[in-house]
Amino acid sequence: QVQLVESGGGLVQAGGSLRLSCAASGRTFSFYVRAWFRQAPGKERDFVAAITRSGGVTYYTDSVKGRFTISRDNAKNTVYLQMNSLKPEDTAVYYCAAADSTVIRTSEGQYDYWGQGTQVTVSS
């Protein structure tokens, strides 16, 4: 019933930019917090950024602060991740997530819904 679909990934040179999108369908009324995680090959899935329903509160992992911006358009049930100044270490599969929570969460297990992921590859 609930579906999250990421798009916008691709191959980009270091220093470049990408904007990821995650469209949600189904019962999304309680998706107060939406987030992005990423997982590099052989590594765990790590928190990247999250945003509350109103967009008034955002939170980023230290490694992306100042470079990534999360935003959302509730009318479109879509969350975005604008990624600037990309680095090779940003290379990963990026996953969209949603939680039925009014507070920011940073742990994978705290999110209720997940997209299939979109690959972001940053070349040197």
Side-chain angles (χ1 to χ4, degrees), residues 33-106:
V33 176
R34 296 186 67 173
W36 291 94
F37 286 71
R38 64 187 181 185
Q39 186 171 24
K43 301 184 68 176
E44 67 276 7
R45 188 174 299 183
D46 292 327
F47 174 83
V48 177
I51 187 169
T52 56
R53 189 173 188 177
S54 68
V57 179
T58 58
Y59 187 77
Y60 302 88
T61 193
D62 287 343
S63 62
V64 307
K65 287 180 179 177
R67 299 189 298 119
F68 291 10
T69 302
I70 188 170
S71 61
R72 64 191 293 174
D73 184 339
N74 292 334
K76 297 180 179 179
N77 294 316
T78 300
V79 65
Y80 306 93
L81 185 68
Q82 178 66 47
M83 305 185 294
N84 298 325
S85 301
L86 283 162
K87 304 175 181 179
E89 49 263 46
D90 295 318
T91 295
V93 176
Y94 283 70
Y95 294 90
C96 174
D100 297 337
S101 174
T102 57
V103 298
I104 295 289
R105 298 173 180 269
T106 60

